[in-house]
Amino acid sequence: MKNPQLNKHGELQHLLTTEGLPAAIMRDILDRAATFLDAGGHEIKKVPLLHGKSVFNVFFENSTRTRTTFEIAAKRLSADVVNLNIGSSSTSKGETLLDTVGNLCAMHADMFVVRHAQSGAAHFIARHVAPDVHVINAGDGRHAHPTQALLDMFTIRHYKKEFHNLRVAIIGDVLHSRVARSQIHALTTLGVPEVRVIAPKTLLPTMVENLGVHVYHDMVQGLREVDVVLMLRLQNERMAGALLPSAQEYFKYYGLTQEKLALAKSDAIVMHPGPMNRGIEIDSSVADGAHSVILSQVTFGIAVRMAVMSMLAGKAQ
Ligand code: CP
């Protein structure tokens, strides 16, 4: 079946999901992102690669990190950036998603960055735009959040250098998490030999093993000797009914504390996509501690998003 995010030359046309995204393209994105960072990995260059292009940020769901870092990334690439405020747009008057996008295309949008509560929204838009317009999925329902996963891969490679020798644990609300799904596809594609998921049964999708992960319900077992700890946010807004006894109970069994982290390797890194619920998913002493690389993830996200946008803009027609 044709991959909807690749063009006829096998190049990236849209970035919709890490599922089925070739390893060579993922590595190209990570390598390209590295060129936008200084040697220390914290200063980001301004380059003219998207000069004259218009990037439209269309966020139907709230965001701090993704929307802002896409805006910074587009500006560092010298693009013109338009942030559509959905709350005050004509969507609130009943305009359809496609009519909104069609009108933005008439304003000469070259690229859309889309976040939507409905899984498949970015794919839907990608199917309806002209061939010279690109769509980046900035998170759709519980389905995919590919740039989050790619910035996570960049962060892991920055600190651990290789993927082939790692044991990685993903902890928390896997069931509702687009981040977890995109991370699992990216980690397995890049050759991580052991990906674990640690969660209560109520927060795991059925048949999650089919994604190539090892399932644990106990942090004490699951955290042993891991190199990378990927925490997830409890997606309360996507939970129908009570899947957990209480936040306190959740923290007791699945919150990351110093004591539990001591079960991982002594040089393990701790990551979280944000926003964090301190004292529920993660203790503040861990979130702000020596193993945490959570704020580096945010900075690297700018470079990774620059890499994705410049790759899309530079592809053959
Ligand atoms: N990680 C992430 O998607 O954060 P935001 O919701 O703030 O964009």
Side-chain angles (χ1 to χ4, degrees):
M1 201 175 83
K2 189 177 174 295
N3 188 326
Q5 51 190 350
L6 303 183
N7 68 13
K8 61 178 189 264
H9 307 287
E11 300 163 323
L12 202 61
Q13 168 73 18
H14 307 288
L15 179 64
L16 304 175
T17 171
T18 53
E19 184 175 8
L21 190 65
I25 291 183
M26 286 192 200
R27 285 198 206 94
D28 196 3
I29 291 169
L30 304 190
D31 292 345
R32 193 181 280 243
T35 68
F36 295 125
L37 286 164
D38 71 353
H42 296 290
E43 289 294 323
I44 295 167
K45 298 170 192 165
K46 180 151 185 166
V47 290
L49 293 172
L50 260 67
H51 181 71
K53 303 280 185 192
S54 296
V55 175
F56 280 62
N57 273 329
V58 187
F59 277 58
F60 293 87
E61 264 191 352
N62 293 338
S63 168
T64 298
R65 281 143 290 270
T66 312
R67 200 202 61 72
T68 312
T69 54
F70 262 114
E71 180 173 353
I72 295 169
K75 287 179 173 167
R76 292 287 163 100
L77 291 166
S78 310
D80 297 319
V81 186
V82 180
N83 293 310
L84 192 70
N85 185 349
I86 293 299
S88 57
S89 76
S90 292
T91 303
S92 58
K93 300 178 194 161
E95 186 171 69
T96 67
L97 180 57
L98 274 192
D99 279 338
T100 301
V101 168
N103 278 270
L104 299 178
C105 284
M107 299 173 204
H108 302 294
D110 295 293
M111 207 174 282
F112 288 105
V113 179
V114 182
R115 171 168 289 190
H116 203 285
Q118 288 296 324
S119 296
H123 283 72
F124 180 68
I125 294 170
R127 278 201 301 277
H128 288 89
V129 293
D132 58 343
V133 175
H134 308 285
V135 178
I136 302 174
N137 183 3
D140 62 326
R142 56 168 88 174
H143 172 239
H145 193 349
T147 58
Q148 177 68 46
L150 289 167
L151 75 87
D152 293 337
M153 299 307 110
F154 187 93
T155 307
I156 292 171
R157 194 175 76 165
H158 179 84
Y159 288 101
K160 296 292 169 190
K161 311 302 176 203
E162 307 275 0
F163 292 105
H164 69 82
N165 54 357
L166 296 181
R167 196 173 286 132
V168 178
I170 302 172
I171 302 169
D173 183 4
V174 180
L175 178 64
H176 301 99
S177 176
R178 55 197 177 204
V179 173
R181 250 167 279 277
S182 290
Q183 287 171 334
I184 291 168
H185 292 304
L187 289 164
T188 52
T189 301
L190 289 170
V192 172
E194 189 173 342
V195 181
R196 302 176 177 182
V197 292
I198 313 175
K201 286 192 178 115
T202 51
L203 293 183
L204 281 173
T206 51
M207 315 286 276
V208 67
E209 298 88 348
N210 291 354
L211 297 177
V213 297
H214 302 263
V215 175
Y216 292 82
H217 301 298
D218 176 3
M219 292 270 272
V220 174
Q221 299 299 325
L223 274 173
R224 276 193 208 285
E225 293 298 306
V226 303
D227 300 279
V228 179
V229 183
L230 300 174
M231 300 305 296
L232 297 173
R233 182 173 71 84
L234 279 179
Q235 311 264 307
N236 289 311
E237 73 276 22
R238 293 185 224 289
M239 287 188 198
L243 296 176
L244 297 169
S246 68
Q248 291 84 350
E249 189 91 344
Y250 182 81
F251 183 66
K252 182 174 168 197
Y253 291 105
Y254 295 100
L256 188 63
T257 58
Q258 296 283 5
E259 294 73 31
K260 290 183 197 141
L261 181 59
L263 298 162
K265 286 192 181 163
S266 57
D267 62 350
I269 55 171
V270 174
M271 298 166 57
H272 193 301
M276 277 186 287
N277 292 307
R278 290 171 183 260
I280 297 176
E281 298 135 13
I282 189 165
D283 190 71
S284 277
S285 68
V286 178
D288 304 326
H291 295 263
S292 170
V293 297
I294 292 168
L295 292 179
S296 294
Q297 287 174 260
V298 178
T299 306
F300 293 153
I302 300 171
V304 168
R305 288 170 174 134
M306 287 173 77
V308 170
M309 287 193 278
S310 63
M311 188 181 283
L312 291 172
K315 68 123 190 78
Q317 293 295 316

